[in-house]
């Protein structure tokens, strides 16, 4: 039985060219980038090149890109570090959407314990935050607004430019979690105007445990990981050279192929919908007009997602109910319930996330297995 992998929002396979490029950084080019001798300097050159590549592709300066261990660390750092620094100006309120990733939620909860107040922004039925809610929530006491660019369960894009403008009008920082958006939308930090933006390598065929945070020059942030003087003294720890090299090459390849990859992926998603069109009682969750090309969040009336996922897995199709980090949880998705779905409706919903390595044949087969499984579980 061939495996059909439709969980590309959880992670993607490492690109083979990236894999080959980084192999020597584990062996001959193993240097500690902070060692001043030749072996160290060679490693530092690779790190500098990677930083330059990412900065130029994102329209940032190279001293605005910080390497981290991935999206989770970047999200925590932006929210905790940004808010704690702004507290010195007397501001103690943060605004965060109710559909953020748990990495952001947990940081917000930590801030609550430190005496910050937190406003959780609602979303509408389509899964989008509305500008009215943003205007109402952001005040002169707000130090930070956090709104993800694209949601990881529905793919719905958020109004980050409006949120950024409204945050700046009140003197607050604006941070966006771009972990899901990075593979599909070109990042230009200057035109977005954001103060901080997080990204993660394994979502675009890089290695797991790699990522970064863009921090605009002039933005004050407290460090999250203390230690050595790496990353301009703001993030301690020996730089993971192979992971950083992988991050830059995987991102460069993603940007070079983005338009064609998006077209292919959108085509696969449309093909899937066409192939299951004869199935009754299917509802698509979220605003499909304003979403990533890669994610379909579908509700199959009367079918528990746990039973569906189990049966599909037995047939070799890998899918998810939502975030992989929450998959051990029996709770309904916080994203779908924030959109107004009942607990039962949320527990009937499944995320299909397509990627550039999928084929039309896999999609036809997955669609046929979906129809068969839904019919059987309903029967
Ligand atoms: N933010 C979003 C929106 C995500 O989808 C994820 C991962 O699923 C993360 C953050 C965490 O990223 P990482 O897996 O690199 O820690």
């Amino acid at each position: 039985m061939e495996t059909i992998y439709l969980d590309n929002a959880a992670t993607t396979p490492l690109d083979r060219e990236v894999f080959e490029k980084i192999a020597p950084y584990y062996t001959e080019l193993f240097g500690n980038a902070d060692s001043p001798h030749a072996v160290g300097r060679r490693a530092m050159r690779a790190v500098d090149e990677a930083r330059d590549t990412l900065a130029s592709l994102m329209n940032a300066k190279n001293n605005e890109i910080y390497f981290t261990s991935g999206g989770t660390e970047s999200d925590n750092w932006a929210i905790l570090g940004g808010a704690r620094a702004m507290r010195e100006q007397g501001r103690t309120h943060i605004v965060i959407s109710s559909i953020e990733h748990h990495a952001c939620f947990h940081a917000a909860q930590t801030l609550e314990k430190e005496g910050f107040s937190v406003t959780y922004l609602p979303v509408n039925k389509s899964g989008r935050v509305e500008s009215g809610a943003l205007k109402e929530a952001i005040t002169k006491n707000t130090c930070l607004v956090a709104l993800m660019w694209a949601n990881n369960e529905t793919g719905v894009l958020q109004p980050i430019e409006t949120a950024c403008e409204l945050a700046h009008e009140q003197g607050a920082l604006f941070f966006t979690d771009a972990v899901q958006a990075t593979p599909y939308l070109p990042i230009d930090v200057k035109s977005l105007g954001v103060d901080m933006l997080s990204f993660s390598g394994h979502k675009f065929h890089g290695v797991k445990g790699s990522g970064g945070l863009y921090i605009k020059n002039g933005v004050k942030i407290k460090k999250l990981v203390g230690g050595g003087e790496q990353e301009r003294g703001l993030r301690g720890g020996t730089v993971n050279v192979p992971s950083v090299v992988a991050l830059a090459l995987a991102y460069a390849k993603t940007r070079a192929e983005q338009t064609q990859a998006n077209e292919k992926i959108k085509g696969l998603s449309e093909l899937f919908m066409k192939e299951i069109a004869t199935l009754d009682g299917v509802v698509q969750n979220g605003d499909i007009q304003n979403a990533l090309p890669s994610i379909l969040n579908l509700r199959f009336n009367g079918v528990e997602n746990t039973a569906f996922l189990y049966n599909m897995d037995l047939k070799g199709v890998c899918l998810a109910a939502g975030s992989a980090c929450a998959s051990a949880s029996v709770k309904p998705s916080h994203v779908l319930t924030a959109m107004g779905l009942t607990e039962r409706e949320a527990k009937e919903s499944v995320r299909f996330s397509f990627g550039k390595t999928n084929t039309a044949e896999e999609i036809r087969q997955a669609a046929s297995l979906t129809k068969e499984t839904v019919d059987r579980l309903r029967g």
Side-chain angles (χ1 to χ4, degrees):
M1 182 174 64
E2 288 283 310
T3 298
I4 302 179
Y5 183 78
L6 300 181
D7 199 13
N8 290 275
T11 194
T12 55
L14 178 61
D15 180 279
R16 191 150 286 280
E17 190 192 340
V18 175
F19 179 58
E20 278 157 18
K21 164 112 186 201
I22 66 174
Y25 291 96
Y26 285 104
T27 49
E28 308 90 82
L29 303 170
F30 61 87
N32 182 326
D34 286 290
S35 299
H37 49 59
V39 174
R41 286 200 305 275
R42 223 174 290 146
M44 184 52 100
R45 254 196 313 277
V47 172
D48 286 343
E49 273 172 28
R51 208 185 303 276
D52 287 347
T53 302
L54 286 161
S56 95
L57 289 168
M58 294 184 181
N59 195 18
K61 302 205 174 69
N62 62 3
N63 65 356
E64 294 176 316
I65 302 290
Y66 294 80
F67 294 120
T68 67
S69 64
T72 299
E73 184 189 330
S74 297
D75 287 353
N76 272 278
W77 188 16
I79 293 175
L80 294 170
R84 286 171 183 161
M86 287 291 275
R87 184 174 216 159
E88 288 169 3
Q89 295 177 22
R91 292 180 181 238
T92 55
H93 172 237
I94 73 160
V95 174
I96 163 172
S97 87
S98 52
I99 56 162
E100 294 300 304
H101 189 269
H102 283 101
C104 296
F105 274 159
H106 286 193
Q109 283 158 5
T110 300
L111 289 174
E112 263 178 319
K113 289 191 197 119
E114 292 176 13
F116 286 84
S117 59
V118 181
T119 301
Y120 294 90
L121 292 168
V123 292
N124 61 22
K125 277 195 168 54
S126 310
R128 253 169 94 85
V129 165
E130 291 186 350
S131 49
L134 278 159
K135 266 190 206 135
E136 211 174 289
I138 307 169
T139 70
K140 284 274 173 242
N141 186 34
T142 308
C143 54
L144 178 97
V145 177
L147 178 60
M148 67 199 328
W149 196 350
N151 181 263
N152 48 305
E153 294 191 29
T154 60
V156 172
L157 304 179
Q158 299 302 318
I160 60 164
E161 277 146 314
T162 309
C164 184
E165 257 175 56
L166 293 170
H168 288 168
E169 271 171 24
Q170 299 287 3
L173 294 176
F174 180 73
F175 160 63
T176 192
D177 170 342
V179 168
Q180 289 292 337
T182 310
Y184 309 102
L185 303 173
I187 296 174
D188 179 331
V189 288
K190 292 292 175 288
S191 78
L192 290 172
V194 298
D195 298 297
M196 294 179 282
L197 176 148
S198 62
F199 50 98
S200 168
H202 72 106
K203 306 292 186 185
F204 49 88
H205 307 277
V207 298
K208 288 160 188 64
S210 69
L213 182 64
Y214 157 79
I215 307 174
K216 184 158 81 184
N217 277 341
V219 167
K220 295 211 167 48
I221 185 165
K222 297 281 182 194
K223 63 172 93 162
L224 188 66
V225 182
E229 286 305 302
Q230 293 90 352
E231 300 300 294
R232 287 176 288 284
L234 282 175
R235 198 270 184 188
T238 301
V239 179
N240 187 338
V241 181
S243 130
V244 158
V245 171
L247 187 66
L249 180 57
Y251 189 61
K253 289 192 75 169
T254 297
R255 284 294 290 271
E257 297 164 5
Q258 207 158 41
T259 310
Q260 301 101 288
N262 285 356
E263 268 168 32
K264 175 183 176 184
I265 292 165
K266 183 81 192 144
L268 294 176
S269 159
E270 285 168 359
L271 174 63
F272 184 81
M273 287 309 281
K274 196 169 126 241
E275 293 282 314
I276 62 158
T278 51
L279 201 56
D280 289 331
V282 182
V283 181
Q284 184 163 356
N285 297 318
D287 177 0
I288 47 171
Q289 303 308 326
N290 285 299
L292 297 177
S294 52
I295 297 181
L296 280 180
N297 194 305
L298 301 179
R299 174 159 66 86
F300 301 107
N301 272 338
V303 178
E304 278 248 13
N305 57 16
T306 44
F308 178 78
L309 294 175
Y310 176 74
N311 280 275
M312 290 293 277
D313 191 26
L314 284 180
K315 291 178 179 151
V317 186
C318 302
L319 296 165
S323 172
C325 328
S327 60
S329 155
V330 287
K331 287 193 209 141
S333 146
H334 70 283
V335 174
L336 299 180
T337 49
M339 288 162 62
L341 272 75
T342 62
E343 273 202 20
R344 190 197 155 110
E345 288 168 340
K347 286 185 170 180
E348 292 175 345
S349 299
V350 177
R351 178 182 74 184
F352 295 78
S353 54
F354 307 100
K356 66 177 186 184
T357 54
N358 290 129
T359 63
E361 191 37 46
E362 284 180 329
I363 301 306
R364 282 193 199 95
Q365 192 152 358
S368 154
L369 290 167
T370 296
K371 287 192 287 192
E372 194 185 298
T373 306
V374 167
D375 281 341
R376 193 157 40 78
L377 290 173
R378 277 179 181 158

